[in-house]
């Protein structure tokens, strides 16, 4: 059994990680910790975890290192980079779920997050953990930067086009909508129920850091697309649905495009291209590690509309992190994810 | 035009007060203030208030006193009692929406809120502002303690029985359910959207201070009922629905009970006894100053079930406060409340 | 007092109309009817309408014509065109809230709705009731086709650009999100709570009839823009938020664009251009007849992003219908709309 | 592998059954059917069931009998009793999730559901499938009547008292609140999103058939309690929270009561008595087969308040049905339920 730690177990992603890891057949969860000093058991924090008898400590790096071989960092941005180096130095395998190691370049990190990177050595070593793009690199790596939730929903919608070298003839629009867990579990007037329920809004228009992450991966793929990304906040707990508008020029038939997507994802366990005429819905991916994709095409405008849906806490965070662990450790890729 | 201040305008109750007062035909809103120093206009805080050009100050008692004749205090419990005396001393009419002046007795206040009362003189003078019970006293008063939201929903369900001297044969159960605005607009992990949405829970079971308020009013009415009050938190913005279980002994027929209620409320503008067989729903009172009551009766157990619904921010707070102002000032009672 | 009928009073729009008309100071609601024969009073259908003592009939054209001078048709598409002619023939003023008379051309109607138009004479006479575009024509007309909810949210975002003759350099993307009342009050598995709550989806992608309505109005304005419209379904009751992506070529500064919008809407009572840096939210327009607009601009891409928010049942339906009535009848434009 | 059919797979309970059975390690799902003739695969109906390649037929009893040894009936009340006999006659094991076989007496069935029972022979043979009460009888039976969702939440709260022969001194109040999936997946104006969201109401007050089911089980336990049951509809998808008010006479200390409950459920895998001072919340049981119980006690009134929470689709329906199958077949009781 692989001995696993979750550093930052009390947020939504940490909770989802713990819930899935305790029933993962190859894993023994040996250490979890939360933001503050707690004497509570993890079961008291999350009463649905009946029978899990693990204490939830204040973070003690030494204890974490001693008790585990594999570490999930589920920490706020700019905090992970203070913590990751000691685990890596101790030879642990690490999946970092924060944004800290997703760019291989500290300037892009600074442009996106407005902060100086403090661990540029490891920044260059981390592999971007999108299995559908980098599975072999992930398999060979011991340090994974788990993708952001929005970039996961966007990139999975674009990989088949990138693979064929197709690029948009004009600006690609990415209109993304996320449930509220995407903002984390925190005290905030902005996130209180009464002002969020029965509400909907765009936020950080033209200034969300995930736009940098998307652009960075596109460039890595030599696809320096012109695009605009605008996120919105949905009054629901879980799920991201992104609508992408990709102007094409060679008018591929809808059938041909459908085939390109179907064929690209034919053997992927966690991406489903819906049959022609069907569209993704958040309820169909909620609680799953699936990404659902639906295509529509208007020939008169050469306009391809792609709708992409994931659960932000699963394929967009904890589920993809476990998928990465499974790949890194040679486990069956779907363990803990059904 | 009556010059009116709202002290504490940025919470949910304050916002509802301001929204209704700006279109009240007999009122000129002359001063509003919020918790912190703000240079914003009230319209910037609440963008739906198009055309209202009032600045939202940090609280300045002198300015508030100079600019208004009538004052609404929409402040947290234990804060109102530090602020009310100066307005009263200056001869202003005051409706206090906090819990500070609802008991006429500092011991009961302390039992309910765990705090020492700091203004016992005015505590004795304040009139409990439930118009259906104390309309004439309210008319003659210049200082009103606006009832709590739960007590309003409970007491309006019981007044017709009190009026007839009927009391329960056994313990009366009051199972109350409130929307989230009842908890105020504040940063709190407990009130964040994701842990409140798709959730429901009881809270402060057998220890909610409103149980003291209900008991206090019952005793004022010489109805020292044996009762239990349990509040619950609904995943919706506005509304309280309370289900009351009143064991009776003389088996009044359902028809007779219906008549007692109908007749008691026949001329009340803001309480509606629904026709036999109809039950209140929160959506039917949302945004209104109405209380809807529905009765069911099981003869074999002499059990009367009363369902009572109000909007916690209107009849349970801001609406009732304006109703009290209308009564105090001799305005038509429904102004600003349709 | 203007004697007014509401034909189709039991849906969401009809309910909103009735609720606002009963407190409109220049109106006496004299006749309302619902889909089926009902003996109920309107107050029994909508218990929040305390004191309104109007019966809700099955539709009786003769009675409706006798009892009123002004008629709102709040009927399903393709039903209005069977009903409107008799009111028009009888000399009544009519605001039709269905889609039946929004195009002046039966071919476009057929392309959009797949049905043959049955009243082509009146089709040509109806004025499209968007006051910010056609106020003077509305004032002179006795037959108004009230705009669709999505087109209202889209067109109000574009009028300032149309007015300046600015048109997009490329395809304009209109990504629209609506609350569930937009689908009407009806029994439908698709609209049941449990499959709609905690869900979000695109629907009728590239095939929504409102895309025809938008295109039709743009062409009337000699602005045959290339655009794509995709609607989505939000898990909330009321509100539409549309995000528009307008590629421009002459790089107008954000400040200049802001001024164009501010100046165009300077004297409009129901459209607000938010200050620079502020973005519309559905909660700020809910229950109001307001449209809120927020602008963002990225100079490097000459990309203008406009966010537009309305309440679909108010500015998107019943509120705008009453605004049209006020204009047609020479009433103050905001009566019944505050 | 046990060959299993789900008769009625397209409702919420059927969907939950299928989702859990396809990953149950001892089960092969061999036959599922829906209300209407369908050529669809189950995966097309429920797109989250990636990789499940089973067709969803119109009901064909012969085919169902041939292809399976164990049958779940997830059918409307009064339909099950037309279908169950043929499976029982063919020697299949059956768990019926409808209400048809929960009483052992056709008169009580008729009193509760207003319908004549059509299969009184099997009515007497069926075992009421509440494992915490009848585990040994379930193990020995081939025909289980799966308990109702409300009765499950109520009875699990009372079993420890029944076990000790404690009964209420006065009327026990059961105030129950359920999410909307409890009403099934159907087209209904009452269940449409817009009138259910932001709403809360009591329904079938003093006339819900589950009150008969609760009374029937209590009588079987020689506990002919005097009680009142009132259900309410919560604006959320899943979960029931019931607040029970049990007047006691011998003032047991809270500690003693807590011990009675803790000890009664010490070895039960799916019932958790929360630590003193903690209260159940629906979010903590959502998606689980758990029942959470929390106790409060007021000595001055000898009043015990029990709060009980379950997921109505899991412990209240599909989960408990699978738990029963596990017991009947000698599988580990928690298989398919984590």
């Amino acid at each position: 059994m692989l001995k696993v730690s979750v550093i930052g177990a009390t947020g939504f992603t940490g909770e989802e990680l713990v819930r899935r890891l305790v029933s993962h057949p190859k894993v023994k969860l040996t250490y979890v910790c939360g933001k503050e000093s707690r004497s509570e058991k993890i079961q008291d924090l999350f009463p649905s975890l009946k029978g899990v008898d693990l204490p939830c400590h204040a973070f003690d790096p030494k204890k974490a290192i001693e008790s585990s071989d594999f570490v999930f960092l589920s920490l706020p941005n700019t905090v992970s980079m203070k913590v990751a180096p000691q685990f890596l130095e101790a030879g642990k395998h690490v999946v970092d779920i924060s944004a800290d190691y997703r760019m291989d370049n500290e300037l892009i990190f600074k442009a996106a997050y407005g902060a100086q990177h403090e661990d540029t050595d490891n920044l260059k070593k981390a592999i971007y953990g999108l299995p559908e793009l980098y599975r072999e690199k992930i398999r060979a790596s011991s340090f994974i930067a788990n993708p952001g939730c929005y970039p996961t929903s966007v990139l999975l919608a674009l990989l088949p086009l990138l693979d064929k070298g197709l690029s948009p003839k004009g600006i690609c629009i990415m209109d993304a909508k996320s449930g509220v867990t995407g903002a984390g579990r925190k005290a905030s007037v902005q996130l209180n129920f009464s002002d969020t329920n029965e509400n909907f809004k765009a936020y950080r228009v033209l200034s969300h850091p995930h736009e940098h992450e998307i652009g960075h991966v596109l460039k890595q793929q030599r696809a320096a697309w012109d695009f605009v990304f605008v996120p919105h906040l949905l009054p629901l707990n879980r799920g991201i649905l992104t609508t992408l508008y990709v102007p094409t020029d060679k008018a591929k038939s809808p059938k041909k495009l459908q085939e390109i997507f179907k064929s690209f994802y034919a053997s992927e366990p966690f991406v489903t291209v819906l049959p022609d005429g069907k569209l993704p819905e958040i309820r169909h991916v909620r609680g799953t590690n699936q990404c659902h994709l639906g295509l529509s095409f208007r020939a008169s405008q050469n306009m391809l509309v792609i709708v992409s849906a994931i659960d932000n806490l699963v394929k967009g965070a904890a589920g993809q992190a476990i998928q990465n662990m499974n790949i890194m450790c040679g486990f069956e890729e779907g363990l803990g994810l059904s």
Side-chain angles (χ1 to χ4, degrees), chain A residues 177-179 181 234 236-241 282 310-313:
Chain A
K177 303 90 174 171
S178 173
T181 51
L234 286 168
L236 52 79
N237 284 3
R238 285 162 164 255
I240 288 176
L241 189 138
I282 277 180
I310 61 169
D311 184 320
N312 59 302
L313 292 181

Side-chain angles (χ1 to χ4, degrees), chain A residues 206-331:
Chain A
L206 304 179
S207 66
H208 195 286
H210 282 184
E211 195 168 6
H212 292 267
E213 182 179 334
I214 294 165
H216 179 63
V217 177
L218 289 177
K219 266 184 208 140
Q220 282 182 333
Q221 298 301 307
R222 299 183 195 174
W225 291 19
D226 207 3
F227 71 93
V228 167
F229 169 82
V230 173
H232 303 72
L233 189 64
L234 286 168
L236 52 79
N237 284 3
R238 285 162 164 255
I240 288 176
L241 189 138
T242 303
T243 311
L244 299 101
Y245 301 84
V246 188
T248 65
D249 70 344
K250 293 176 229 146
K252 300 258 176 212
S253 70
K255 217 181 143 193
K256 181 69 193 157
L257 284 163
Q258 189 83 8
E259 278 170 20
I260 288 171
F261 275 73
K262 281 270 183 197
S263 134
F264 185 84
Y265 283 125
S267 60
E268 281 296 340
F270 292 118
V271 183
T272 303
V273 182
L274 298 183
D276 193 32
K278 298 267 181 176
L279 288 166
E281 304 188 23
I282 277 180
R283 67 183 170 122
H284 292 144
V285 297
R286 184 174 55 212
T288 81
N289 198 49
Q290 284 284 319
C291 175
H292 283 189
L293 298 173
L295 307 184
S296 306
F297 192 74
R298 178 177 277 163
S300 64
Q301 295 174 309
N302 287 331
M303 176 58 74
L304 172 64
V305 180
I306 310 173
V307 179
S308 165
I310 61 169
D311 184 320
N312 59 302
L313 292 181
V314 192
K315 187 63 179 168
Q320 187 148 265
I322 291 172
Q323 188 181 356
N324 281 319
M325 176 193 74
N326 289 339
I327 296 170
M328 293 162 82
C329 298
F331 301 153

Side-chain angles (χ1 to χ4, degrees), chain A residues 11 32 134 146 172 207:
Chain A
V32 302
Y134 290 134
N146 211 56
C172 175
S207 66

